[in-house]
Amino acid sequence: MKRLYMFFSLLLCCILHASAQDVMVNGTVSDEQSQPLPGVSVKVAGTTRAATTNAAGKFSILAPANSSLVFSYLSYKSQTVSVNGKANIDISLQSDEKLLETVTVTALGIERKTTSLTYATQNVSSEELNRVKDNNFINSLAGKSAGVVITKGTSGPGSSSKIIIRGQKSISVSSAPIYVIDGIPIGQAAGAVTSNFSDTDNGDALSNLNPEDIESVQLLKGAAAAALYGSSAANGAVLITTKKGRIGEAKVDFSSSTMLEKPFDLPETQTRYGRTATTANDMWGAKSSTGTNDFIKDFFETGKSFINSVSFTGGNQQAQFYLSYANTKATGIVPNNSLLKHNFTLRGSGKFFKDRLTLDGSINYINQKMDNPPKAGFYYSPIFSLYLFPTDDNFGNYDKDHFEVWNPTRGLNDQNWPYIRNEASTNQNPYWIANRNLNENFNGRTISSFKAKVDINSWLNVLVRTTLDINDRKFESKNYAGTDAVDAGSGGALSGTYSIRTNYETNLYSDVLLNANKQLSKDFSLTATLGASDNRNYFNEISTASSPTSGLLFPNVFSINNFNVATGAAPFIFYQHTYKGINQAIFGTASLGYKETLFLDATARREWTYTTEEAYNYPSVGVSYILTNTTGTSDLFSFAKLRGSYAEVGTPLQRGANNSTPPKIVESGTGSTKPVTNLPYFSGDFRPILKPERTKSVELGAQIRMFKDKLSIDLTVYNADTKNQVITIKAPAGAGADNFILNGGEIRNRGFEGVINYNMDFGDLKWQPGLNFSHNQNQVRALSPLYTADRYVISSSDGSRLVASFLTRPIDGKYGSFGDYYGRTILTNADGSIQTDADGIPILSEQDATYVGNPNPKFLAGFNNNFKYKQYTLSFLIDSRFGGKVYSQTQAWLDFKGASQRSADARDAGGVMVNGKMVDAQTYYARISGGGNYAAVPEYTYSATNIRLRELALGYTFPVIGNVFKNLNISLTGRNLFFFHKDAPFDPEASISAASNTQGIDAFGLPATRSYGFSVRSSF
Amino acid sequence: MKKFSNKAGISIALTIMIVLGFTTSCRKDMEGLNRDLADIPQDMLAIDGNEASVMLPGMMTNIISPTDWVYQLQQNLGADMYGGYLATPTPYLGNVNNLTYSFVDGWVNYIWDTPQTNILNTWLQWKLLKFDTKYPDLYGIALICKVWGSSRAADQFGPIPYSKFGSSSDVSFDTVQEAYNAFFADLDLAIAALSKFEDATPEADLLRFKKVDKSTLGGDYTKWIRAANTLKLRLAIRISRIDPAKAKTMAESAVSNKFGLLGTADGNFSMIPANAHPLSTISDSWDDVRLGAPTSSILSGYKDPRLPFYGRPATDAAISGQIIGIRTGIKIDVKETYLNFSKIVIANNTPIKVMDAAESYFLKAEGALRGWNMGGTAQSFYEAGVKASFTAVGASGADAYLADATSTPAAYVDVKNHANDAAPLSTITIKWNEGDTFDKRLERIITQKWIAMYPEGCEAWAEYRRTGYPKLYPVTVNNSQGGIPVGGYIKRFPYTTTFTNASKAQTDAAVAKEFGGVNSPYKALWWDID
């Protein structure tokens, strides 16, 4: 497009050209803010004479006195200025927003005219991403894009976030989108299926990138947009375009961000009543006057995060380079939790053979060390023992200086904690967990990328790309002698445990694309791509751990060489996993344009995945129509476009899902082979073949710009039916497997989303408000006729100790949705009174019996605002979600232990009223909390609706200082500052894991945090 | 233009060639995809019958799970304590749990899930892979494991899917009677297959079976046949009251089998733990199990020389030095209260007892008492059983013990809470008296069998329900919300979500058929008649 534009400019200049005397013309080129623009191309019209502006925006060129100079610069409107004998020409270039918009990066990195797109995409710029930084930049996308739900993990800095676009499509397989860097898929976002409460969060594929390297993020939300990714496209795609070298004099960019993070919404445990006995870890005893719960807030530290980055870029028309380094150093709110990350990027690109060949290569090296990410739940969870510490006891006896005591006989420190013998699970000193139950995770990652493009002629080119992503990870865990035997085993409690797991993973992606872009006739234009890709993955993992019974030989020496091999038949535990996978595809895409008004779009992909025998085809078609090209533009409507698309995409089967005689796994401890737990569905001898999931998706949209482009509105409605859902369900008793994998159902996600932006201009004051909103309805439309039960058990409450997740067969036109939870409730009589036992205590229903809610939001809205006044900028983002329910097991435990405020209030009142009779508070709360587990769920259910100030940034850009600092900007920033509205006693967005079957449950997760800080950025 | 077109044509051709190259050349790389390369593929196991025998260790070691926490849920926090042997000082879930008759779903599930996952599902793989006909001898072992694991589950829940197991994706449950008939049939099949093999090729077991035998029977088919015969006799005795004719037939055929029953020479049928006996972890690392009050009061009343081999002296200051256990189902506020009552005697490398060798003598004693042809008198088997138990435990003084006609079980005194004090459970003495009533002689046999079988609570609880012996203490805290009447003793585990979630219709049908539609813990099993 740009090429075409320049061509016309040149043509224009040729006509105007007339020979005359040469003069030396000097001058400065600046932007609208009077900042100098380096790298602007200055050409004498109609000739090959050219110059480029330097870092100060200055140029000099010899030009005929009656000639014209053409100033052109990427994403700015070109200007032509007559020389007229002048020796000095200073001009200011205007940025061309339309030009900026005209090209959109789509699947496979193919650039397409934005006007021709037949589906919705949304772009988030580098500036928006980096305005208020987060250790995981994915979290910075929250609230900025319609239909995208981002849930931050709770394992401190470096934890992975869950991202779901347009609703949960897959039940058993992840519903997370694929991540793509510069056209190359690098894997799926976090969102593993299986999880339990003691899992460690190991981060995900994108979170460890340097956000400063990112030029922009493009969200491909619908199946049609991502259809070229075929079997990986069902959940949408997150496309990352990284920065590359720029033409012009060498330039240095520096940015520094400092953020402080503080917890809020801590539970208010009661302080009026104490323990029943000095050794009892409860608060059901007599009144106490010494109670305090200050230790809870004192335990948490101020999380600090320092992100510093510097980049160098420069080059000429022939070759450019980009070099960057970023350093992230963060500590969490739990003591001893930290993240240290180094990112190096080197990228070079150049043109050869008269610009016919373009080469582009880059290397990214990431070195990340994550220490002691805190765990939620019941094992090794510092939060559990902290929240339940009796408020009448003195925490000072067990604090950071007293969490261990010297054992003179052994010559080591033992854990100092009076409640280590808790009744149901383990209970350790939170400082011991933080300092003596260590987890050290390391990832060394190299992404090497190479691209070559050969222009065959003006409309045809061949692009060859290859990317090698190597991950070298190490996970170590060290438990010191003195750790509770429930966690570490008898040997571990005596001498400590050690485990080390290393894995090595490579992902080699290569493709070749033949791209055509041709004006076929006066009216018809064609953009087309034909290509093939090959993606191979290799994974090898080795793990060894000391056995819980044998522990280590010499206490607290953490090495494999110190395994206590003399005792026990199985002194250590070990395993190995080796996987390889190959996926290949051929694909093509074509977009036919008619008079730049009507565009017809089609893509096709045929894919061979190694998890299925057959190859599968994934097609898409779309059409877009620019209404205003027919009706003409007016002051009211400057642009209007309608679009529609249809796509069929898939979700691949998981490795081995189709294998009914899987290989044997020998258990290291016993030497026995493990039983096969998950098998493809069978009934007697009948075994259907599993097919990959297939999503058929339709979307319709309209894009309108009004009031001279001031107001822009983009609306989309969509319907995505995912059939052949691959579901892993609990098999019925006696069926012959623990779990069946089957093509079990059909899920529909239907909804709408919209983006509305406005540009207000009050002279010096500019205001750009933006609103995005979305609604998604998820329905289980059908369950497989193969297995006829009325409900499919996705997970039972044993996994969460609170709720079970079922899929239900539609009955009388009523549809369940994915994520529907079932649990216990308080039983009521027909007259509405509560059913009670002989003591007047409520009776609970059977476990997993009753529908209790669904955690998914009904409506999401983000309201983004940017103000600009002269050198000042102010931006804030209000993010809201409506509907959905969240469950708190933390609250159930606080009730059970007599630690909740309401349990104290009940005691003050002499008990709890049940059916007009006063019953004992302790008995009542023990019953409804289910002893902490298997509680009456509605008692601990909250609306997830919340409205929060997600981001706030106030910035000032200094005028050029001494020609050295350019664009020096200082900003004050804040994240998650406060809630305008919230129902739950905790942040409903905090999930204990990124897994889909434990969403919406808080079980001693980290509290929500508020962060604030400042950032400095400048160019040299 | 022509020049351009030619070039374009060449490029397109080249691209297509590369594309084809991509998708066709790499087929040999496709080997080993879609599985974990570090695991052992089925086709590499065809030597020595390994493809079949590889499945046996997981089956036999999961009759009782060797995994500490699974054992705790499958066996310990239920059967071991309902059987009276053991007790816990821990007030799980605010003392509202299995032991006070409020059933914790997440625990009880393992009583069925453990044998289903490890034994029954694996057994189905034998059938689907046709290994039952290819390796009939090894399949005989698999069948013994199958009956063993399933009969334990059936004795705890009642109807289970058994005879139709795996025949469709949603099978109906067997009634207890149907299941028992199927158990006998499967055992006969196993005994016949193993006998045939042992007669033809006596050394075959050494090559094919010894390396995978995780039990104390050392890979000897003849000993496994004896174990199967003893199990058959146990099951026959179980139905002796409800179906005396079938019981007599089965019992006599078990006893008359030429390989005979387990005896002192074979030792107990136990599994060798790979890591540690789960009870040693549960006792010494987790402090979640202690000696049960019935064990200490019955054995101390009898001045039983085996008591020091079962329990250690308490370290609680109030009862220091005495061997005193804890009652199950009592009021416990904090764990510390009973923490220092008698620990159990257990070592890391103690094998996990599935069946005590002495049980076969007591089973024959009861058979003889019932007038069946057991090849001896009730008295002879009773005394042989006590001696076998003494030998197995390593205690001495069996003769003097058997001559004791006066000692009776002792009273129980709970120094922490005298509300739990209880009079002696029974006045039954040790010395055999042929002139005693049938019931008294039965009580004597069952009491001594109970002592010998320690600590395998599953069989103890089943026999308690069948015979009422030895008498055990009722719970004093009953959280069953009316499910079990005050003073009542649990008769079965109600079906949990492991059954009801995925097999609701079949579970409801079984409950309707067998228990009158009430999934109650106080509904008696088929063989449990008064």
Side-chain angles (χ1 to χ4, degrees), chain A residues 244-246 250 312-315 319-323 346-349:
Chain A
K244 56 182 184 181
R246 290 202 166 197
F312 304 85
T313 175
Q320 304 92 38
F321 74 95
Y322 174 84
L323 175 69
L346 174 62
R347 180 166 183 176
S349 34

Side-chain angles (χ1 to χ4, degrees), chain B residues 62-65 71 74-76 79-80 110-112 114-115 119 145-158 160 162 180 183 231 234-235 238 352-355 455-462 465 493 525 527:
Chain B
N62 279 289
I63 295 169
I64 298 174
S65 174
Y71 176 98
Q74 183 204 2
Q75 172 87 10
N76 193 245
D80 280 351
Y110 285 90
I111 297 169
W112 172 245
T114 306
I119 301 173
C145 298
K146 181 193 172 202
V147 176
W148 217 301
S150 307
S151 62
R152 286 165 44 91
D155 286 348
Q156 297 185 72
F157 289 109
I160 54 163
Y162 187 81
Y180 263 72
F183 296 156
L231 176 60
R234 174 197 275 185
L235 299 178
R238 186 96 79 242
I352 303 163
K353 193 201 281 184
V354 178
M355 180 183 261
E456 207 286 273
C458 190
E459 184 59 17
W461 179 36
R465 283 174 286 159
F493 277 112
L525 300 191
W527 43 257

Side-chain angles (χ1 to χ4, degrees), chain B residues 192-355:
Chain B
L194 287 167
S195 301
K196 190 177 160 195
F197 229 79
E198 188 64 23
D199 291 343
T201 48
E203 301 301 307
D205 49 3
L206 297 179
L207 184 64
R208 282 158 75 118
F209 181 52
K210 194 172 195 305
K211 63 174 180 278
V212 292
D213 190 0
K214 300 284 174 183
S215 80
T216 47
L217 302 182
D220 187 341
Y221 280 164
T222 55
K223 290 188 181 181
W224 274 83
I225 297 170
R226 288 204 274 276
N229 279 327
T230 316
L231 176 60
K232 189 174 157 189
L233 180 57
R234 174 197 275 185
L235 299 178
I237 288 287
R238 186 96 79 242
I239 63 166
S240 57
R241 299 178 71 190
I242 188 79
D243 191 353
K246 170 114 186 169
K248 181 169 185 288
T249 316
M250 286 297 133
E252 290 178 349
S253 85
V255 172
S256 63
N257 181 280
K258 70 173 174 181
F259 292 99
L261 304 178
L262 276 184
T264 313
D266 303 309
N268 298 337
F269 177 45
S270 304
M271 297 299 157
I272 299 159
N275 207 336
H277 193 300
L279 276 177
S280 96
T281 307
I282 299 166
S283 166
D284 298 349
S285 297
W286 302 349
D287 285 326
D288 277 342
V289 74
R290 293 292 179 263
L291 205 63
T295 312
S296 62
S297 38
I298 292 172
L299 274 77
S300 67
Y302 283 160
K303 300 178 223 31
D304 198 309
R306 287 169 289 185
L307 183 56
F309 295 90
Y310 290 177
R312 287 182 253 174
T315 53
D316 192 289
I319 50 170
S320 183
Q322 307 172 52
I323 300 178
I324 292 188
I326 309 168
R327 275 183 68 168
T328 286
I330 55 167
K331 182 176 186 295
I332 302 176
D333 292 325
V334 293
K335 188 169 184 170
E336 280 69 19
T337 313
Y338 294 100
L339 191 62
N340 295 317
F341 277 46
S342 281
K343 283 189 172 181
I344 56 175
V345 175
I346 193 97
N348 271 355
N349 56 5
T350 306
I352 303 163
K353 193 201 281 184
V354 178
M355 180 183 261

Side-chain angles (χ1 to χ4, degrees), chain B residues 430-466:
Chain B
I430 301 163
K431 189 175 189 302
W432 187 261
N433 180 2
E434 194 62 34
D436 280 342
T437 61
F438 178 91
D439 275 349
K440 216 159 179 188
R441 282 179 290 165
L442 180 65
E443 181 177 4
R444 188 167 281 133
I445 293 169
I446 300 297
T447 303
Q448 284 302 324
K449 183 169 85 168
W450 180 85
I451 296 173
M453 291 191 305
Y454 171 93
E456 207 286 273
C458 190
E459 184 59 17
W461 179 36
E463 288 292 87
Y464 170 77
R465 283 174 286 159
R466 180 178 69 92

Side-chain angles (χ1 to χ4, degrees), chain B residues 479-502:
Chain B
N479 287 311
S480 67
Q481 300 193 15
I484 297 174
V486 174
Y489 207 97
I490 179 172
K491 292 180 190 286
R492 64 179 281 270
F493 277 112
Y495 292 115
T496 57
T497 52
T498 198
F499 291 96
T500 56
N501 269 347

Side-chain angles (χ1 to χ4, degrees), chain A residues 279-280 356 421 423-424 456-457 460 462 485-486 489-490 510 512 514 531-532 534 536 547-549 569-570 576-582 584 586 608 610-611 654-656 660-666 669-673 675 677 679 681-685 687 730-738 740 787 791 793 796 798 806 843-844 847-848 896 927 930-931 933-934, chain B residues 1 4 7-8 11-12 15-16 18-19 22-23 26-27 29-42 45 51 54-55 57-58 61 66 90-94 104-106 109 112-113 116-118 121-122 124-125 128-129 161 164-171 173 214 273-276 281 285-287 334-336 348 481 497-504:
Chain A
T279 52
R356 293 284 289 276
R421 288 279 167 253
E423 68 287 343
I456 297 162
N457 58 32
L460 196 63
V462 176
V486 174
S490 54
S510 316
V512 52
L514 179 68
D534 177 277
R536 3 196 107 202
S547 91
T549 335
Q576 179 182 6
H577 292 304
T578 308
Y579 303 121
K580 61 177 189 178
I582 301 178
Q584 293 172 332
I586 53 172
W608 294 261
Y610 67 94
T611 51
Q654 287 180 304
R655 172 181 295 105
S660 53
T661 50
K664 302 287 181 203
I665 306 162
V666 178
T670 62
S672 305
T673 51
T677 48
L679 280 171
Y681 173 87
F682 64 94
S683 181
D685 280 339
R687 293 174 185 270
K730 178 103 176 99
D738 278 10
F740 277 145
Y787 167 42
R791 60 189 196 192
V793 182
S796 82
D798 294 349
F806 300 153
I843 295 177
L844 305 190
Q847 212 172 304
D848 301 357
F896 167 51
R927 174 68 56 82
N933 298 326
Y934 311 109
Chain B
M1 270 317 275
F4 275 134
K7 269 195 168 178
S11 303
I12 291 167
T15 310
I16 290 168
I18 294 170
V19 166
F22 255 126
T23 51
C26 318
R27 294 293 116 176
D29 295 358
M30 297 292 184
E31 284 295 307
L33 299 174
N34 206 12
R35 68 179 180 85
D36 190 338
L37 289 162
D39 292 340
I40 303 149
Q42 193 81 44
L45 289 166
E51 59 183 352
V54 72
M55 294 192 277
T61 55
T90 313
Y92 294 95
L93 302 169
V104 185
D105 221 80
N109 283 343
W112 172 245
D113 288 346
Q116 170 168 265
T117 302
N118 296 285
N121 290 348
T122 307
L124 188 63
Q125 292 300 312
L128 294 171
L129 296 165
K164 299 190 191 70
F165 194 95
S167 62
S168 83
S169 64
D170 205 7
V171 300
F173 293 12
K214 300 284 174 183
N275 207 336
T281 307
S285 297
W286 302 349
D287 285 326
V334 293
K335 188 169 184 170
E336 280 69 19
N348 271 355
Q481 300 193 15
T497 52
T498 198
F499 291 96
T500 56
N501 269 347
S503 329
K504 190 158 179 23

